[in-house]
Amino acid sequence: AELVAITAASVHAADPDALVLNGGTKPLDTETGPWVPWWTEFLQLGGAEGLDRFQVHEGVGSGAPVEWTLDAWLPLLEEHAPSLADSVWIGEMGPVDWDGSTGVHGDLAGWTEEHLRASLDRVERACVCASNLLVQPEWEPVLEVIGEVNGR
């Protein structure tokens, strides 16, 4: 918590308009998954106090749609860092197999678009991390949804 607070103060001193986000998160697969105790303790110790936004990694490649990721994270944030529960960013999403069209759900682009669109009201910002997807036409609808989220 102290490291985050010192870092956030330094960032804001250098650029008062900068937003400080947490580092990458692993999707929380279950209430007892291996990352839940770490993030719970981080939040309980005040680690989120220096953050302006909380970002999560959406688990498309593992078969977890964005709403499952949010269902896992939002209760933790509401309990331990309520000021961040309304300012969640999806900091990364994309397939694990990297070919942009196959994976655990076949039409991965369509599946991602559907689940991201279903969660529009629950996130403040979203981005895609797999840059090779940007040149594949079947991913254009996903990028349009991301544009809708980010254009609000």
Side-chain angles (χ1 to χ4, degrees):
E2 184 178 353
L3 176 62
V4 175
I6 291 168
T7 302
S10 297
V11 169
H12 288 136
D15 182 354
D17 295 328
L19 295 176
V20 177
L21 284 73
N22 57 294
T25 62
K26 172 121 173 89
L28 297 178
D29 299 326
T30 68
E31 290 182 14
T32 58
W35 290 103
V36 175
W38 190 95
W39 281 106
T40 301
E41 185 175 2
F42 173 83
L43 295 170
Q44 287 172 336
L45 293 173
E49 290 174 16
L51 302 177
D52 298 308
R53 303 291 187 274
F54 195 87
Q55 67 94 13
V56 299
H57 286 191
E58 189 267 333
V60 169
S62 64
V66 66
E67 57 263 52
W68 293 359
T69 301
L70 294 171
D71 286 347
W73 278 106
L74 289 177
L76 269 177
L77 292 174
E78 288 165 355
E79 182 176 350
H80 303 292
S83 65
L84 294 176
D86 292 331
S87 57
V88 173
W89 289 19
I90 300 173
E92 177 180 316
M93 66 179 168
V96 169
D97 58 10
W98 301 109
D99 75 1
S101 62
T102 63
V104 292
H105 297 286
D107 176 16
L108 196 52
W111 186 84
T112 302
E113 177 194 8
E114 171 191 341
H115 289 283
L116 181 57
R117 191 169 294 285
S119 299
L120 284 178
D121 63 335
R122 299 174 72 189
V123 297
E124 185 176 275
R125 292 270 188 256
C127 72
V128 67
C129 120
S131 60
N132 62 320
L133 301 179
L134 302 180
V135 297
Q136 298 181 21
E138 65 267 21
W139 281 83
E140 191 168 313
V142 174
L143 298 177
E144 289 173 9
V145 176
I146 291 171
E148 289 175 31
V149 171
N150 296 339
R152 292 186 271 176

